[in-house]
Amino acid sequence: MNAFRGLRAMIYKEVLHAVRDRMALVFSFIVPLFQMIILGFAIDTNVRQVHTVVYDQSGRSQSAGAQDAGTSESRAFLDRFRNSDTFHIRKFVHSDEELNEELIAGRARVGIKIPVDFARDLVNGDSAQVLVLVDGSDSAVAGQALTVSSQIALDESLSRLLPEHAPAPIESRPKILFNPASRSPNFFLPGMLAVLLLFVTTMLTALSVVREKERGTLEQLLVTPVKPLALMLGKIAPYFALGVSELCALLVFMRFVFQVPIHGDALLLTLLSTCYLFVNLTLGILISTKANSHPEAMQLSMMIMLPSLFLSGYIFPRENMPLIFFLLSYVVPATYMVDISRGVILRGAGVTELWIDALVLASMGVCILLFAAKRFQKMIV
Amino acid sequence: MTAIRAEKITRRFGEFTAVDGVSFQVEAGEIFGFLGPNGSGKTVTIKMLCGILPLSGGDAWVDGIDVRADPDSVRSRIGYMSQKFSLYDDLTVLENLRFYGKVYGLGGAKLERKIEEIIEQNNIRPYVNRQAGKLSGGWKQRLALGCALLHEPHILFLDEPTAGIDPVARRQLWDLLFELSGRGITFFVTTHYMDEVERCSHLAYLYYGKLIADGTPAALRHLPDMTPPGTHRVEITTEDVTSALRTARTLPAVRSATIFGRSIHALIEDSVSGNELGEILRRKGYDVEDIRSLAPSLEDVFVELTDRRQKELETPA
């Protein structure tokens, strides 16, 4: 017998459902665009203008007043901080207690303390010490503050040691490829496509089957000659179309509102993404073979969402993960989609580089679909 | 012609035997009432006959087709309607009909002609473009029945088709069933309503997986052991039925007694006549309005059969 019997009837019905379901349309278009706006505008991974307080004791004598501290040496050194984009000196304080208080209250992330004999040590050719306190509660900020402050101290030291206008012995000339301006949207949005697409496709498919369970129509369908495979593909079809349209909408939005250039072929990206959509839809079906109610389906979908967020490399680089999680990330479909998306959009990669990702996704999809079909048959009992 | 034949069909779920060696035969055009308490295996039996649940043992033929060998063909030849009516609320009446027609492989002009026929037969024309979710229970049920009849099945399985719909709609449904059965369609119906049971042309009673009665309503009513020798049945009408029942049950001559509306149906020993029993109750202060002798109703039959079976289960052989 034909394994796809009843497929056309299923597609007819599912398209009607999808078109009438306002929530589905809102979920597939409005919500993802909204999320893209929030993340696109709000998130900037580049650390800039870190709030900094300074306690400058340099040149202070026991007899003089505390207010007019500072020497030309300490001011020149602090100017280097000011001129960097990383630090923003907001306040001068006049005691250790005040310095600590600013950091504890979170009004400043970095505290710089210049000791009394800073200028004298420099003039005498001794090593001058500067204390740089960094708030470690945000690792990105701390890392950047540490690197840049060390760099500033090093530059200042070199300029004092080397004769005027002499070149440094070695000069590094870094060049950032693919995203030369280090724009956060360029980095974030392509990866985000994977997460946004996952949400709609997996959850909507799962809910659409579970709804039939709740209403008892699934029981009716099982008594008809419709084959399980046809039933599932029929469920998938409209959400597949919805997923592709959502992808196109997101790409247009990303390109023209956030000005993220697509270096590769947008058509190829769409084509490769269909494999990812397919996996997500089959996952939705698999969830629905387990879940019997809406809340259950939602929670199971969430269980799939979280690893995709954290293990796919969308937020944290996979290379830095402990081995077990690194291996685990290979079974997360979003991993491959993030690779495809960043590959095409940022690096201009083509089929030669990305076919393997698509192949892995497609095979995952077929396996999940067959597994779900098996579970479907057992569900009748 | 035989529409359904079950030969010792059995279904086990692990250790539990839901249906245990059940055999029966349903002739074409019969309205077969399949009865039994909840959880006694009726739905499991239907699922096996519809070819969606494999048999653990025995054999079954539906519309001449071996269910074990070719469940797909069985599914495309039968119609099925459950008490949930299984319609898509967000689809219109017409769309529901189109979908179920397509599911059974109908299409084009033939489908449209059949839909027209169903609309005509069920008088649902004013509602064709209304969403199914907005129909009342009775109309939903007509639509569901229409959907199940589109592909002209010879046999229709109805699992509690009248649960939760009003008496008028119930009567209309049964009128339609009689009309269809006159055209040769066989109905396999489960129900808990005794008035519907009386309308069936053939009954079977399933009790915890075993078939304990099978026959026409008349045959079941006259089963010899329904009224055991040396006993007879009476109906006693009284104001205070509940308390009178309690009292009647304490009397040695009363074998069993149950309430029917404002009266008590009692099985009593021949040593006491109906009038004598009335006298006893009157002396105990009950206002007995009427006493008459009674043939067992089908409900009596099922209650009696259930009791007997229960006693058999409780006393180990």
Side-chain angles (χ1 to χ4, degrees), chain A residues 52 55 62 66 94 106 116 125 128 132 139 148 201 216 235 237 240 246 260 270 283 290 292 320 335 348 351:
Chain A
T52 305
Y55 179 22
Q62 303 298 330
H94 307 288
V116 178
V132 179
S139 63
V148 176
T201 47
K235 282 276 166 204
F240 184 74
E246 186 198 338
V260 178
T270 314
L283 274 175
K290 176 93 186 105
N292 288 316
N320 295 353
T335 303
V351 177

Side-chain angles (χ1 to χ4, degrees), chain B:
Chain B
M1 207 193 115
T2 304
I4 302 170
R5 205 172 112 212
E7 288 275 6
K8 294 198 169 65
I9 56 171
T10 300
R11 175 68 209 193
R12 280 181 291 269
F13 298 101
E15 292 287 290
F16 174 67
T17 305
V19 174
D20 190 1
V22 167
S23 304
F24 57 83
Q25 194 161 322
V26 182
E27 298 305 318
E30 276 188 327
I31 299 182
F32 180 68
F34 196 54
L35 314 168
N38 289 332
S40 57
K42 289 178 304 210
T43 304
V44 172
T45 307
I46 291 185
K47 281 183 173 171
M48 286 194 283
L49 294 175
C50 290
I52 54 177
L53 192 61
L55 283 70
S56 312
D59 286 291
W61 292 265
V62 171
D63 207 11
I65 294 163
D66 186 341
V67 174
R68 273 174 178 278
D70 193 359
D72 284 327
S73 297
V74 170
R75 279 205 289 275
S76 51
R77 278 162 182 250
I78 56 160
Y80 171 83
M81 181 178 105
S82 78
Q83 54 174 318
K84 294 176 190 154
F85 302 149
S86 307
L87 299 164
Y88 293 96
D89 287 351
D90 53 334
L91 265 53
T92 66
V93 169
L94 203 56
E95 287 162 351
N96 267 293
L97 286 167
R98 285 217 180 99
F99 167 64
Y100 280 112
K102 283 173 197 277
V103 158
Y104 285 101
L106 299 177
K110 184 164 189 226
L111 176 61
E112 294 306 316
R113 201 176 62 242
K114 270 314 288 183
I115 288 176
E116 219 21 61
E117 202 181 303
I118 296 286
I119 289 172
E120 207 56 52
Q121 191 174 49
N122 290 284
N123 296 317
I124 44 180
R125 180 158 327 273
Y127 305 110
V128 285
N129 290 316
R130 188 176 290 198
Q131 292 197 344
K134 294 185 176 143
L135 297 175
S136 73
W139 288 109
K140 272 188 188 168
Q141 175 214 52
R142 282 190 199 194
L143 175 57
L145 188 65
C147 290
L149 285 169
L150 272 172
H151 60 294
E152 301 177 331
H154 298 151
I155 300 167
L156 208 55
F157 289 85
L158 307 178
D159 197 357
E160 297 190 27
T162 53
I165 65 165
D166 65 76
V168 179
R170 257 173 67 191
R171 169 153 299 206
Q172 284 169 341
L173 178 81
W174 275 91
D175 288 346
L176 189 60
L177 295 194
F178 282 127
E179 191 195 320
L180 293 168
S181 97
R183 290 196 228 153
I185 296 182
T186 312
F187 288 93
F188 187 109
V189 185
T190 70
T191 180
H192 289 298
Y193 292 108
M194 279 301 145
D195 59 322
E196 292 181 355
V197 171
E198 307 265 358
R199 288 164 176 243
C200 295
S201 55
H202 180 177
L203 297 172
Y205 194 78
L206 194 65
Y207 191 73
Y208 293 107
K210 292 262 192 196
L211 201 66
I212 59 175
D214 179 14
T216 63
L220 289 185
R221 224 178 255 130
H222 295 106
L223 279 179
D225 44 357
M226 275 313 100
T227 313
T231 62
H232 64 283
R233 290 174 186 274
V234 292
E235 180 180 38
I236 307 151
T237 311
T238 172
E239 271 299 311
D240 191 5
V241 269
T242 345
S243 145
L245 175 75
R246 240 175 283 134
T247 312
R249 278 183 174 164
T250 62
L251 301 175
V254 176
R255 290 265 186 98
S256 67
T258 37
I259 295 183
F260 278 80
R262 282 192 55 243
S263 59
I264 295 169
H265 287 190
L267 181 67
I268 60 176
E269 281 168 16
D270 282 345
S271 59
V272 180
S273 76
N275 286 331
E276 282 164 347
L277 178 64
E279 261 325 295
I280 297 170
L281 285 174
R282 275 200 191 97
R283 256 184 273 128
K284 291 195 183 271
Y286 293 101
D287 177 24
V288 178
E289 292 163 21
D290 188 30
I291 293 176
R292 57 179 67 185
S293 68
L294 190 73
S297 71
L298 283 172
E299 183 154 348
D300 289 325
V301 173
F302 295 133
V303 169
E304 182 64 29
L305 286 172
T306 308
D307 283 351
R308 205 172 298 165
R309 177 76 191 150
Q310 194 59 42
K311 276 179 199 130
E312 277 174 32
L313 288 177
E314 279 161 13
T315 46

